[in-house]
Amino acid sequence: MKNDILHRLTAARPAHLDPGRPTPSPVREEELATVMTRPRATRRARATPQPRRVGRPLLSGLALATAAAVAVLAIIETAPQEPGPAPSATSGSGSQVLLAAASHVEQQPAGSGTYWYVEKHLGSLHKVPGKNYTVAVRTEQRYWTAAARNKQWSQLLDLGARPATKADEAAWKADGSPTSWNLRGETVTYAGKGEIQHDAPGGIADIGTMGDLPLRLLATLPTDEQALRKRLFALVDKDYNAPEEILDRTVVDTAVRIATTLPSTPALRAAAYRLLAAEPGVRSLGDVKDHTGRTGYAVALPSPHGPAELRLIFDKSTGMPLGTETVATRSGDGVSKGELQGYTTITSMKWTEDAPPFDTDTEDPGPISAPGEEPDAEPAR
């Protein structure tokens, strides 16, 4: 049965994740490696239904499991204290930038609350067919995580599309400023459609915990970077069947999540920064602007997910993450070297006592069909 919610989620999928698009050979190699990292199935696991993860394929931000996953994280609602002195980072190496950010971030207040709330704006970039400009198809994701119960609520909204850059905006205006586009058979509008779906624990489409790291384990993780790396490696080695190189990439991926959107303590977040500072190939990008126009300092390191570069942006005064981006490092199959693959902007990340505004899933609208397709038949009873 085709579900309208899933159909809309498919429409929101970034172009580089389109299964109909030719896959660059380096990405095929990474996908094969990813298959090898699937959890070892135990007898109990085979007998127990696993939660379906509706939201994760949309984490181009942020959200992280594919070669072209991208994110720009912008923290707006935190109210950190003024940090003490820390090493200067802007003119230093990539490792120095991360170490300086760690010195700042570990001085931030820990905070507490019933729910860890994260609000993210995602943008996937699409070239408009037959035109000379690109639009960013924007969605908003909201998560409420009850860490003590390891449960999560989520909401997804369509925010509409906008020209991706100033140059794209000029070309869009020259095209008559259209307010809708047909992208991969789906109509995308300037205004957006509002809420697409929401999901509550116990529903038919439960989303897994953020980052695939059970929240109950966060409090047990060491705050020394070397011990943290060792513990993370042991965790992924236990759950995944893969060569050591792939496990190392998974450790880096998990460290990025600990450093950004997971409800980490300041000490644990700083440890994740220092773990990343020891990664080979880390380099400083100096002063940059995130997708909200704020200035921070940034580093780049090889993406753990393929032929791409992961860029991390930090607030100069607090060390909190302002963002990450993933940029292609190879050209081919419709992707140019240096091309931004997508972004995520976190507009809120905080502890709160405010409960999610819903306790049930979005009502299933029933079967639908794509243009030219027949509805799926109901299964025989």
Side-chain angles (χ1 to χ4, degrees):
M1 175 182 292
K2 291 187 175 65
N3 183 293
D4 186 54
I5 294 172
L6 297 180
H7 191 61
R8 293 180 184 180
L9 292 176
T10 300
R13 177 182 56 217
H16 58 278
L17 300 183
D18 187 352
R21 180 175 180 172
T23 305
S25 56
V27 175
R28 293 191 187 96
E29 296 172 3
E30 293 301 323
E31 289 173 341
L32 179 59
T34 300
V35 170
M36 296 175 64
T37 66
R38 289 177 177 168
R40 299 183 178 104
T42 63
R43 181 173 299 176
R44 180 179 179 183
R46 294 189 189 103
T48 305
Q50 297 299 310
R52 293 165 53 199
R53 304 188 182 193
V54 175
R56 182 165 180 173
L58 294 175
L59 296 183
S60 41
L62 140 339
L64 298 177
T66 68
V70 290
V72 174
L73 312 177
I75 315 310
I76 290 180
E77 293 191 17
T78 53
Q81 299 172 346
E82 287 297 320
S88 175
T90 302
S91 60
S93 67
S95 294
Q96 288 174 321
V97 170
L98 284 163
L99 294 176
S103 297
H104 287 314
V105 81
E106 65 186 352
Q107 299 181 52
Q108 303 309 303
S112 62
T114 302
Y115 302 96
W116 176 248
Y117 177 70
V118 178
E119 182 178 289
K120 302 187 292 185
H121 288 191
L122 293 81
S124 59
L125 276 60
H126 301 258
K127 294 178 180 178
V128 178
K131 307 295 181 180
N132 62 341
Y133 62 93
T134 297
V135 295
V137 178
R138 308 173 308 153
T139 56
E140 178 177 288
Q141 290 181 331
R142 302 170 183 171
Y143 296 97
W144 295 260
T145 301
R149 293 180 287 164
N150 209 45
K151 291 185 176 181
Q152 188 176 86
W153 293 253
S154 68
Q155 186 178 37
L156 178 67
L157 300 93
D158 174 7
L159 301 182
R162 297 289 187 276
T165 66
K166 293 290 186 182
D168 291 318
E169 183 177 11
W172 167 68
K173 290 180 178 179
D175 189 36
S177 303
T179 56
S180 66
W181 302 267
N182 187 284
L183 305 175
R184 306 194 328 268
E186 295 292 334
T187 298
V188 175
T189 66
Y190 190 92
K193 302 174 183 177
E195 183 183 81
I196 296 175
Q197 67 126 0
H198 57 254
D199 172 72
I204 61 173
D206 281 350
I207 295 174
T209 55
M210 296 167 60
D212 284 338
L213 182 67
L215 296 177
R216 59 182 171 77
L217 292 181
L218 282 179
T220 72
L221 295 178
T223 55
D224 172 82
E225 63 271 20
Q226 294 182 0
L228 177 61
R229 174 181 282 279
K230 184 176 180 180
R231 179 69 188 283
L232 293 179
F233 189 93
L235 288 172
V236 299
D237 187 34
K238 177 182 177 181
D239 291 337
Y240 293 90
N241 180 21
E244 183 173 345
E245 179 185 359
I246 302 299
L247 295 178
D248 282 335
R249 296 182 190 178
T250 307
V251 167
V252 171
D253 192 36
T254 305
V256 169
R257 294 171 187 153
I258 292 172
T260 54
T261 55
L262 285 176
S264 309
T265 63
L268 180 58
R269 199 179 305 277
Y273 287 9
R274 293 180 175 120
L275 184 159
L276 295 172
E279 281 299 296
V282 176
R283 62 189 182 90
S284 174
L285 298 176
D287 289 354
V288 300
K289 287 188 177 182
D290 68 7
H291 281 253
T292 67
R294 296 170 300 178
T295 300
Y297 47 63
V299 300
L301 65 158
S303 169
H305 297 297
E309 181 176 72
L310 178 64
R311 298 176 177 179
L312 309 176
I313 309 170
F314 303 94
D315 182 271
K316 288 185 174 182
S317 63
T318 67
M320 289 295 288
L322 289 182
T324 73
E325 294 181 343
T326 301
V327 176
T329 56
R330 300 179 187 174
S331 297
D333 295 317
V335 177
S336 300
K337 182 178 180 180
E339 181 179 337
L340 179 67
Q341 298 293 286
Y343 65 86
T344 302
T345 301
I346 295 183
T347 53
S348 179
M349 187 168 72
K350 62 180 181 178
W351 288 105
T352 181
E353 296 298 330
D354 296 333
F358 52 88
D359 287 319
T360 60
D361 288 358
T362 305
E363 183 178 354
D364 188 341
I368 68 166
S369 301
E373 292 184 341
E374 294 293 329
D376 287 350
E378 291 288 341
R381 300 185 184 279

